[in-house]
Amino acid sequence: MQLYADLRGRRTRQLVTDTLVLTWVLVWVAVGRSIATHISDAGGSARHMEDGGRDFASSMSDAGDRLRKVPVVGDDLKPPFDKASQAGSSISQAGRDIQDGFDRLGLLLGILVAALPICLVVLVWAQARWRYARRVETARKLDALLHEESATEVVRHMVGLDLASLGLLSRHDTATAVQSPAT
């Protein structure tokens, strides 16, 4: 399959078009990555939530452990701090979940923003390139057929007609019939 034309001007246009399509794809991939990064960075405030929840959980756990050492009432003072520590852990987990959500959203939107224009342009470009390759292939087959047979045979072959079954003779058959004497 021939991808590029033999004629210099057409080949130049094809190469320029291929370069423009490649540039288009690279630009949209960069735009998609940029969008993904910005959206993912927007989840950065959830990092503060995660860190704060983790610090709060750690502080409450430490306070409960210290209060537990208080004689007589220590065991009664620890449970509220343990519950507060669990709440801090929940806040920390929520912060991680929000960050993961922003990361996934960024990836999805980055892909969608890049994929739509890339697919549209590549689809049009691929159709044009495929059509060109098919035309070249057809022209080569026709050229090979013309070198092998007479023009009538080529047309007959392309159309799929059998002139003899219609009671007609091709010029080649007519010329042969005229040259050979009847018996």
Side-chain angles (χ1 to χ4, degrees), residues 169-182:
L169 295 175
S170 66
R171 288 185 196 173
H172 176 70
D173 294 337
T174 307
T176 307
V178 171
Q179 289 176 355
S180 62

Tab-separated table of all heavy atoms in Angstrom, residues 169-182:
chain	number	residue	atom	x	y	z
A	169	LEU	N	-19.139	-9.378	-30.622
A	169	LEU	CA	-17.722	-9.693	-30.648
A	169	LEU	C	-16.941	-8.430	-30.347
A	169	LEU	O	-17.334	-7.332	-30.724
A	169	LEU	CB	-17.305	-10.225	-32.020
A	169	LEU	CG	-17.910	-11.567	-32.441
A	169	LEU	CD1	-17.495	-11.876	-33.865
A	169	LEU	CD2	-17.449	-12.676	-31.511
A	170	SER	N	-15.831	-8.590	-29.660
A	170	SER	CA	-14.962	-7.448	-29.427
A	170	SER	C	-14.218	-7.125	-30.716
A	170	SER	O	-14.204	-7.903	-31.664
A	170	SER	CB	-13.972	-7.772	-28.309
A	170	SER	OG	-13.094	-8.783	-28.727
A	171	ARG	N	-13.588	-5.945	-30.782
A	171	ARG	CA	-12.823	-5.563	-31.974
A	171	ARG	C	-11.725	-6.565	-32.250
A	171	ARG	O	-11.444	-6.901	-33.382
A	171	ARG	CB	-12.202	-4.179	-31.796
A	171	ARG	CG	-13.193	-3.075	-31.847
A	171	ARG	CD	-12.484	-1.755	-31.787
A	171	ARG	NE	-13.435	-0.704	-31.462
A	171	ARG	CZ	-13.105	0.523	-31.221
A	171	ARG	NH1	-11.856	0.886	-31.232
A	171	ARG	NH2	-14.027	1.402	-30.954
A	172	HIS	N	-11.097	-7.032	-31.210
A	172	HIS	CA	-10.025	-8.007	-31.360
A	172	HIS	C	-10.574	-9.287	-31.998
A	172	HIS	O	-9.975	-9.831	-32.928
A	172	HIS	CB	-9.405	-8.307	-29.988
A	172	HIS	CG	-8.344	-9.367	-30.031
A	172	HIS	ND1	-7.124	-9.143	-30.622
A	172	HIS	CD2	-8.338	-10.646	-29.583
A	172	HIS	CE1	-6.397	-10.250	-30.526
A	172	HIS	NE2	-7.118	-11.170	-29.892
A	173	ASP	N	-11.755	-9.726	-31.527
A	173	ASP	CA	-12.375	-10.925	-32.088
A	173	ASP	C	-12.827	-10.674	-33.521
A	173	ASP	O	-12.709	-11.543	-34.383
A	173	ASP	CB	-13.573	-11.363	-31.237
A	173	ASP	CG	-13.138	-11.824	-29.844
A	173	ASP	OD1	-11.958	-12.215	-29.685
A	173	ASP	OD2	-13.986	-11.780	-28.927
A	174	THR	N	-13.349	-9.451	-33.800
A	174	THR	CA	-13.793	-9.102	-35.144
A	174	THR	C	-12.599	-9.064	-36.093
A	174	THR	O	-12.661	-9.583	-37.215
A	174	THR	CB	-14.507	-7.730	-35.156
A	174	THR	OG1	-15.530	-7.757	-34.173
A	174	THR	CG2	-15.087	-7.418	-36.503
A	175	ALA	N	-11.492	-8.464	-35.656
A	175	ALA	CA	-10.296	-8.385	-36.493
A	175	ALA	C	-9.758	-9.779	-36.779
A	175	ALA	O	-9.332	-10.073	-37.896
A	175	ALA	CB	-9.230	-7.534	-35.818
A	176	THR	N	-9.813	-10.637	-35.801
A	176	THR	CA	-9.338	-12.009	-35.992
A	176	THR	C	-10.241	-12.750	-36.957
A	176	THR	O	-9.767	-13.477	-37.838
A	176	THR	CB	-9.301	-12.762	-34.642
A	176	THR	OG1	-8.547	-11.997	-33.710
A	176	THR	CG2	-8.697	-14.126	-34.789
A	177	ALA	N	-11.543	-12.529	-36.862
A	177	ALA	CA	-12.497	-13.199	-37.750
A	177	ALA	C	-12.336	-12.709	-39.184
A	177	ALA	O	-12.449	-13.478	-40.131
A	177	ALA	CB	-13.922	-12.970	-37.281
A	178	VAL	N	-12.029	-11.412	-39.405
A	178	VAL	CA	-11.851	-10.857	-40.739
A	178	VAL	C	-10.569	-11.380	-41.356
A	178	VAL	O	-10.508	-11.683	-42.547
A	178	VAL	CB	-11.859	-9.303	-40.696
A	178	VAL	CG1	-11.457	-8.716	-42.015
A	178	VAL	CG2	-13.243	-8.806	-40.280
A	179	GLN	N	-9.494	-11.506	-40.569
A	179	GLN	CA	-8.210	-11.940	-41.097
A	179	GLN	C	-8.227	-13.421	-41.478
A	179	GLN	O	-7.599	-13.821	-42.430
A	179	GLN	CB	-7.101	-11.715	-40.053
A	179	GLN	CG	-6.792	-10.244	-39.874
A	179	GLN	CD	-5.748	-10.039	-38.768
A	179	GLN	OE1	-5.351	-10.980	-38.097
A	179	GLN	NE2	-5.326	-8.797	-38.614
A	180	SER	N	-8.930	-14.227	-40.759
A	180	SER	CA	-8.929	-15.653	-41.087
A	180	SER	C	-10.031	-15.929	-42.095
A	180	SER	O	-11.170	-15.524	-41.936
A	180	SER	CB	-9.139	-16.485	-39.826
A	180	SER	OG	-10.391	-16.199	-39.249
A	181	PRO	N	-9.712	-16.609	-43.215
A	181	PRO	CA	-10.699	-16.889	-44.258
A	181	PRO	C	-11.714	-17.911	-43.765
A	181	PRO	O	-11.397	-18.804	-42.997
A	181	PRO	CB	-9.894	-17.443	-45.420
A	181	PRO	CG	-8.609	-17.887	-44.819
A	181	PRO	CD	-8.397	-17.112	-43.571
A	182	ALA	N	-12.939	-17.741	-44.203
A	182	ALA	CA	-14.015	-18.670	-43.822
A	182	ALA	C	-13.865	-19.954	-44.599
A	182	ALA	O	-13.466	-19.976	-45.744
A	182	ALA	CB	-15.362	-18.041	-44.098
